[in-house]
């Protein structure tokens, strides 16, 4: 598959003009305190952004300001601190809405992350609208959090989980996808960008084809949101989920966006405070969205931190971010491909953020051996199956070494990675 023209809805792809989109990476790096440390006596080279990103000072400050300045619970207090905290929380919701182009504020639900967002949809809308004989379609490249909730649901209701295959480059087989679609398909749930391989999926085409058979579409945006512009209205999907911690925000906070009518049709999920209108022992009536799906005290600091992170990220210029990371991806791919003994895993034409590889069999090294040798040189990468075991099974490897990019990475990081891998091969051979 050749890289499609950059879609307006998802500028995480290549082909973004680099002229006039230059970022001052040194200035960005200066804003990330965790970058400036030694690990194992060497300056940190952080290339594990697919797992989580390091945080800019403005995000850390937002957390500190909340805990030191207006630490109070939200929505229920008449006192000033509570009102300030509520205002900050609801401002963050507006920032989220604008960031992803959500039609309505109330459709933006705060959850713990992608995992919780997908489980929420499976157990609400899914449980009510997917039944015996129906089909849920996912891809073979999904993160476990976009597999297991659907397996659980299908087992419970007697539906069938179907899987879209991919080829040796890590590109989805769109012909197979089309063939799998039928009026039985109630939901297509796919990643926007694969965390294991970096493939950017043609989600616009997937959404259009799924809608043509009457299926709804959930997009797991965990690895797309950090790499550029995403607009859910332009995409036309039905649900979109992302985790804050991968986009420079704190851990434990994420967003589920869904079309109002679908979220309402799914009904409530957790029961408790904030999600009710009136409770008596005889009967409980429920709140409107977003409260309906946000039972209990939310992660207030995390939400405020997410707002600060998205504001910071936006101000960098999302097209510039995408262009910078595409440059790094091309540079890193070339450097690693030139190394004798390295086999790249995930070579789709349209990728974002991920450089995955294994060492040739004759070297006899497990990916975690490489990871440990890189760590000794201060280089942080992830090794293993990346919560995508079916992907590893298809490639016949126990795992890969994955370097994953963020906006604060630079070519020097990739030079260090390539030098580190050469050194590791020397030690392992
Ligand atoms: N989907 C993808 C594509 C991911 O990369 C991840 C995190 N590695 C998840 C889902 C799960 O995200 P979280 O653990 O933040 O819920």
């Amino acid at each position: 598959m050749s890289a499609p023209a950059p879609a307006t809805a998802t500028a995480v792809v290549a082909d973004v003009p680099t002229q006039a989109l230059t970022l001052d990476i040194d200035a960005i790096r200066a804003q990330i305190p965790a970058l400036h440390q030694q690990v194992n006596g060497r300056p940190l080279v952080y290339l594990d952004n697919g797992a989580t990103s390091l945080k800019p000072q403005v995000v850390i400050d937002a957390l500190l300001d909340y805990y030191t300045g207006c630490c109070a619970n939200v929505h229920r207090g008449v006192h000033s601190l509570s009102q300030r905290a509520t205002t900050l929380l609801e401002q963050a919701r507006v920032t989220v809405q604008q960031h992803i182009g959500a039609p309505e504020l109330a459709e933006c639900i705060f959850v713990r992350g992608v995992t919780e967002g997908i489980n929420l949809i499976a157990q609400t809308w899914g449980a009510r609208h997917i039944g015996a004989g129906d089909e849920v379609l996912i891809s073979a490249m999904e993160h476990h959090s976009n597999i297991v909730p659907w397996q659980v649901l299908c087992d419970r209701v007697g539906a069938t989980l179907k899987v879209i295959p991919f080829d040796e480059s890590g590109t989805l087989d769109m012909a197979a996808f089309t063939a799998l679609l039928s009026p039985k398909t109630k939901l297509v749930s796919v990643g926007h960008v694969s965390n294991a391989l970096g493939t950017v999926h043609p989600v616009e085409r997937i959404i259009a084809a799924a809608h043509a058979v009457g299926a709804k579409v959930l997009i797991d945006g965990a690895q797309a949101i950090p790499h550029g512009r995403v607009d859910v209205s332009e995409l036309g999907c039905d649900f979109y989920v992302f985790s804050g911690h991968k986009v420079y925000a704190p851990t434990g906070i994420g967003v589920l966006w869904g079309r109002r009518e679908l979220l309402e049709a799914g009904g409530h999920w957790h029961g408790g405070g904030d999600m009710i209108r009136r409770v008596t022992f005889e009967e409980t009536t429920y709140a409107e969205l977003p409260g309906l799906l946000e039972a209990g005290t939310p992660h207030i600091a995390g939400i405020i931190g997410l707002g600060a992170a998205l504001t910071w990220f936006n101000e960098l210029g999302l097209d510039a971010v995408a262009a910078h990371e595409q440059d790094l991806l091309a540079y890193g791919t070339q450097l690693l491909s030139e190394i004798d003994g390295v086999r790249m895993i995930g070579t789709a034409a349209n990728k974002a953020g991920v450089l995955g590889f294994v060492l040739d069999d004759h070297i006899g090294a497990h990916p975690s051996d490489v990871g440990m040798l890189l760590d000794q040189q201060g280089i942080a990468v992830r090794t293993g199956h990346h919560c995508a075991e079916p992907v590893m099974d298809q490639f016949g490897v126990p795992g890969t070494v994955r370097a994953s990019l963020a906006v604060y990475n630079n070519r020097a990081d990739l030079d260090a990675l390539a030098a580190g891998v050469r050194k590791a091969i020397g030690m392992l051979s």
Side-chain angles (χ1 to χ4, degrees):
M1 191 192 79
S2 59
T8 48
T10 56
V12 291
V13 296
D15 298 342
V16 182
T18 43
Q19 302 88 341
L21 286 177
T22 328
L23 296 171
D24 183 348
I25 302 301
D26 287 343
I28 294 172
R29 291 175 74 84
Q31 298 174 54
I32 314 286
L35 267 183
H36 309 286
Q37 60 179 306
Q38 305 257 313
V39 169
N40 293 324
R42 308 285 286 274
L44 170 64
V45 174
Y46 189 79
L47 289 166
D48 193 19
N49 299 285
T52 202
S53 57
L54 305 180
K55 315 307 173 202
Q57 188 62 50
V58 282
V59 172
I60 300 164
D61 288 346
L63 299 182
L64 270 177
D65 288 350
Y66 166 70
Y67 283 121
T68 54
C70 60
C71 186
N73 211 329
V74 288
H75 294 149
R76 291 182 285 269
V78 292
H79 65 82
S80 301
L81 292 193
S82 174
Q83 288 181 11
R84 260 168 42 209
T86 303
T87 302
L88 288 172
L89 182 145
E90 291 304 334
Q91 275 170 355
R93 199 186 306 274
V94 174
T95 304
V96 166
Q97 183 198 7
Q98 291 169 348
H99 190 80
I100 61 171
E104 281 192 56
L105 195 56
E107 296 173 331
C108 300
I109 311 297
F110 290 119
V111 289
R112 279 192 294 136
V114 166
T115 304
E116 190 174 68
I118 294 179
N119 278 280
L120 189 160
I121 293 304
Q123 291 169 33
T124 56
W125 181 87
R128 285 192 182 180
H129 295 87
I130 297 170
D134 289 340
E135 293 177 357
V136 174
L137 196 45
I138 60 173
S139 89
M141 231 182 292
E142 298 310 314
H143 188 278
H144 295 164
S145 62
N146 198 23
I147 302 174
V148 184
W150 305 119
Q151 282 175 326
V152 171
L153 177 70
C154 288
D155 278 354
R156 189 175 300 154
V157 302
T160 306
L161 190 64
K162 298 250 166 152
V163 183
I164 311 162
F166 63 88
D167 70 13
E168 64 288 347
S169 73
T171 303
L172 280 190
D173 182 339
M174 291 298 283
F177 164 63
T178 312
L180 283 167
L181 281 174
S182 81
K184 287 187 195 162
T185 317
K186 290 290 170 290
L187 179 76
V188 176
S189 188
V190 290
H192 196 159
V193 174
S194 156
N195 68 310
L197 303 178
T199 310
V200 181
H201 300 310
V203 284
E204 289 90 341
R205 283 170 58 200
I206 291 173
I207 293 162
H211 283 170
V213 298
K216 303 297 179 211
V217 182
L218 184 152
I219 305 289
D220 167 1
Q223 300 292 342
I225 287 278
H227 300 300
R229 196 159 32 81
V230 172
D231 187 307
V232 297
S233 300
E234 289 177 23
L235 279 177
C237 55
D238 301 291
F239 306 104
Y240 197 98
V241 282
F242 71 93
S243 296
H245 68 95
K246 295 181 198 289
V247 60
Y248 311 107
T251 53
I253 189 65
V255 172
L256 157 67
W257 170 81
R259 291 184 192 283
R260 172 187 278 279
E261 64 276 17
L262 299 179
L263 295 178
E264 287 177 345
H268 55 277
W269 190 38
H270 290 158
D274 259 17
M275 54 77 75
I276 51 88
R277 191 193 304 264
R278 170 105 178 98
V279 177
T280 66
F281 287 119
E282 288 69 41
E283 190 199 22
T284 291
T285 52
Y286 299 107
E288 304 277 302
L289 292 170
L292 176 68
L293 293 171
E294 292 181 348
T297 299
H299 182 5
I300 305 167
I303 293 169
I304 294 169
L306 173 62
L310 293 179
T311 301
W312 176 83
F313 187 44
N314 255 306
E315 283 171 0
L316 298 177
L318 300 183
D319 290 341
V321 169
H324 168 62
E325 291 188 9
Q326 284 297 321
D327 173 69
L328 292 182
L329 190 61
Y331 184 70
T333 303
Q334 187 178 344
L335 286 184
L336 290 171
S337 307
E338 284 166 4
I339 301 175
D340 253 0
V342 165
R343 175 160 70 100
M344 300 303 290
I345 301 282
T347 51
N350 197 10
K351 283 183 59 177
V354 172
L355 294 150
F357 63 94
V358 292
L359 298 189
D360 283 346
D361 286 345
H362 68 85
I363 301 173
H366 192 275
S368 59
D369 299 334
V370 183
M372 281 185 293
L373 291 172
L374 290 174
D375 180 57
Q376 284 170 13
Q377 302 171 60
I379 303 167
V381 293
R382 183 133 302 230
T383 59
H385 55 60
H386 316 295
C387 296
E389 287 193 272
V391 176
M392 303 302 134
D393 291 346
Q394 176 158 338
F395 282 100
V397 294
T400 64
V401 182
R402 182 188 73 179
S404 50
L405 304 169
V407 64
Y408 42 69
N409 288 122
N410 55 23
R411 286 187 172 212
D413 290 338
L414 296 165
D415 290 335
L417 173 68
V421 171
R422 284 180 198 277
K423 189 167 170 187
I425 291 174
M427 294 170 82
L428 290 163
S429 300

